[in-house]
Amino acid sequence: MKIAKNHVVVIEYTLTDPAGNVIDSSRGRSPLAYIHGIGNLVPGLERALEGQAVGAEISVTVPPQEAYGPRDESLVQPVPREKFAGLPDLKVGKQLQAQTEVGPRIVKVVEITDDAVTIDANHELAGMPLHFEVTILEVRPATPEELSHGHAHGPGGHEHG
Ligand code: ZN
C-alpha cells in the first residue's frame, strides 16, 4: 500500500539541524503514527513521503518555507520588565507561555535589561532547513473515527484516557 491522503502512516524518524545535531527522534522510543495529507507533519516532509511504501527509507532536507516558515523579526519584541514581575528565575533562553494577539504562544527570552525583557515568538525551528531520515513501518487506511479526530489511534498515535 502506498502513502496517500487519509492513510495512517507509522514511521521511525530522526530530525537534525543543518549542523547535524539531533533535534528530535523516535528511535529508542515508540514510532510515530500520523494521518497523511491533513497537516499532521510539516508540508515538505509529507510531500517526500507521498507515494512511498512500507520499508522505504527517505532522506530529505526540507527548506524553511516547507517546514516552520521563515523567521519573522517583528515577532522579536521588548516587553516592559514589570510585566514579568511575578516570574522567578527569568533568564535568557527561558521559554514562557505568553498571551499574544494570536493567542497563547511559547516565547523565548532573548535579552533582559533593567527596563525590558525581549521575547522571541518565532517557532524555535523557524528559518531552519530541517533534515529528516525516515523509515516507513506501516501504511493503512485511516478509520472514520481517526479521520474525525484528526489523528491516528493505536501504538504511536493518540491514546485516549
Ligand atoms: Zn482520537
Side-chain angles (χ1 to χ4, degrees):
M1 187 172 295
K2 294 199 156 145
I3 296 177
K5 187 173 164 70
N6 294 342
H7 281 55
V8 169
V9 183
V10 182
I11 59 173
E12 271 188 333
Y13 69 93
T14 297
L15 165 59
T16 50
D17 70 14
N21 301 306
V22 174
I23 297 169
D24 188 18
S25 179
S26 70
R27 293 174 215 273
R29 45 170 225 251
S30 72
L32 171 73
Y34 78 96
I35 300 178
H36 191 77
I38 63 168
N40 283 174
L41 304 184
V42 299
L45 181 57
E46 288 211 342
R47 194 163 309 140
L49 290 168
E50 179 85 26
Q52 301 288 342
V54 171
E57 295 182 21
I58 308 294
S59 175
V60 62
T61 299
V62 175
Q65 311 85 268
E66 295 179 35
Y68 291 93
R71 279 185 56 80
D72 177 352
E73 294 310 322
S74 75
L75 295 177
V76 180
Q77 289 188 337
V79 176
R81 180 85 192 241
E82 60 263 25
K83 297 242 188 193
F84 296 87
L87 281 176
D89 57 84
L90 192 64
K91 56 178 189 280
V92 170
K94 189 177 171 69
Q95 292 189 320
L96 312 163
Q97 177 145 322
Q99 285 302 326
T100 70
E101 288 165 14
V102 292
R105 279 186 90 138
I106 300 295
V107 303
K108 190 167 155 189
V109 175
V110 292
E111 193 184 6
I112 302 175
T113 66
D114 288 344
D115 308 321
V117 175
T118 302
I119 57 168
D120 182 350
N122 282 287
H123 189 283
E124 237 190 330
L125 302 179
M128 193 186 289
L130 301 178
H131 184 76
F132 294 91
E133 300 280 342
V134 179
T135 304
I136 300 163
L137 304 181
E138 187 185 342
V139 181
R140 63 172 171 82
T143 65
E145 187 185 48
E146 287 173 322
L147 290 174
S148 77
H149 288 196
H151 53 230
H153 292 158
H158 198 88
E159 310 282 354
H160 290 283

